[in-house]
Amino acid sequence: MSSDFEGYEQDFAVLTAEITGKIARVPRLPPDEKKQMVANVEKQLEEAKELLEQMDLEVREIPPQSRGMYSNRMRSYKQEMGKLETDFKRSRIAYSDEVRNELLGDDGNSSENQRAHLLDNTERLERSSRRLEAGYQIAVETEQIGQEMLENLSHDREKIQRARERLRETDANLGKSSRVLTGMLRRCCAEEPGVFRRRTVGGMP
């Protein structure tokens, strides 16, 4: 199985090298040759994608304990494929601008203006994106502050509830003490008249 994978690797390396060279040649070719070269690169890119699919299937058949190395190589090949497609898109945009200018008799100023306009729009989008990120960060920080405030309020509420419970207990204890003192005063008042009578009978003032 690994020999099949390595065979696909060699084919992919050769094919991507050819594609890279052709993409670099596209801007320097005459219009007729450019058209043919673009079509040829499109075909080879499809072949490279098919090779990647075959390599991916081979990697899935590898035992998990040995799959890591091949998976890393596949990620590298996919990144290379993505770069080739990006470079080809750029060359096609340049080719399309040139064809349009030839058809319209443009001197290239319009194309430059369009590029400048696109760059300006890109910068605006980046600034808007940064502002959105800053706003999101502020929202996250505000949410964190609000969460902390809620937690603090919750703790304060618990403290107040405990203080109220202690106050109720204190009130209850005071009520018990008050009743005990009242009972003691009543007993004292009830005993004093009898003591006075005994003292009078005994000749005491």
Side-chain angles (χ1 to χ4, degrees):
M1 192 286 304
S2 60
S3 60
D4 293 336
F5 182 87
E6 291 173 356
Y8 291 136
E9 274 186 313
Q10 293 176 359
D11 293 341
F12 182 79
V14 172
L15 188 57
T16 52
E18 291 180 1
I19 293 172
T20 301
K22 290 178 179 179
I23 290 175
R25 290 170 54 195
V26 166
R28 300 191 297 270
L29 291 175
D32 292 340
E33 294 184 18
K34 280 183 181 180
K35 184 176 181 181
Q36 183 178 358
M37 184 66 74
V38 166
N40 187 275
V41 171
E42 287 178 341
K43 181 179 178 181
Q44 287 187 316
L45 283 172
E46 290 299 323
E47 293 176 1
K49 288 180 182 178
E50 291 177 2
L51 281 174
L52 280 179
E53 291 176 358
Q54 292 295 328
M55 293 163 68
D56 200 19
L57 291 174
E58 293 293 331
V59 170
R60 294 179 184 178
E61 297 297 326
I62 298 176
Q65 61 270 21
S66 305
R67 193 179 301 167
M69 178 181 65
Y70 293 95
S71 298
N72 292 334
R73 285 153 71 175
M74 281 299 302
R75 280 194 292 271
S76 176
Y77 295 143
K78 289 178 181 179
Q79 290 175 355
E80 183 179 356
M81 187 69 195
K83 184 178 182 301
L84 284 177
E85 290 178 332
T86 300
D87 293 341
F88 181 55
K89 286 179 181 178
R90 290 175 180 169
S91 67
R92 287 190 63 181
I93 291 173
Y95 168 70
S96 300
D97 287 344
E98 188 173 318
V99 171
R100 180 184 58 77
N101 292 336
E102 290 177 357
L103 291 174
L104 299 177
D106 226 344
D107 59 357
N109 291 331
S110 177
S111 178
E112 291 298 327
N113 291 336
Q114 287 182 354
R115 288 193 182 93
H117 184 65
L118 286 173
L119 288 173
D120 185 56
N121 287 340
T122 301
E123 291 176 357
R124 289 181 181 177
L125 287 173
E126 289 177 353
R127 288 195 296 270
S128 298
S129 177
R130 287 194 292 270
R131 285 196 294 269
L132 287 173
E133 289 177 359
Y136 174 75
Q137 185 64 30
I138 292 173
V140 171
E141 292 176 357
T142 302
E143 183 179 359
Q144 291 175 348
I145 293 172
Q147 185 65 31
E148 292 175 359
M149 291 178 64
L150 288 175
E151 291 177 357
N152 292 334
L153 288 173
S154 178
H155 293 325
D156 292 341
R157 182 181 179 183
E158 292 176 358
K159 291 179 181 179
I160 292 172
Q161 287 178 345
R162 288 195 295 269
R164 287 178 176 174
E165 290 176 359
R166 288 195 296 269
L167 183 60
R168 283 195 292 267
E169 292 175 358
T170 302
D171 289 341
N173 292 332
L174 288 174
K176 291 179 181 178
S177 300
S178 177
R179 287 193 295 273
V180 170
L181 290 173
T182 301
M184 293 174 64
L185 289 172
R186 287 177 179 174
R187 285 195 296 273
C188 289
C189 292
E191 291 175 356
E192 285 181 357
V195 172
F196 180 77
R197 286 195 299 272
R198 286 196 297 273
R199 287 178 179 177
T200 302
V201 173
M204 297 293 294

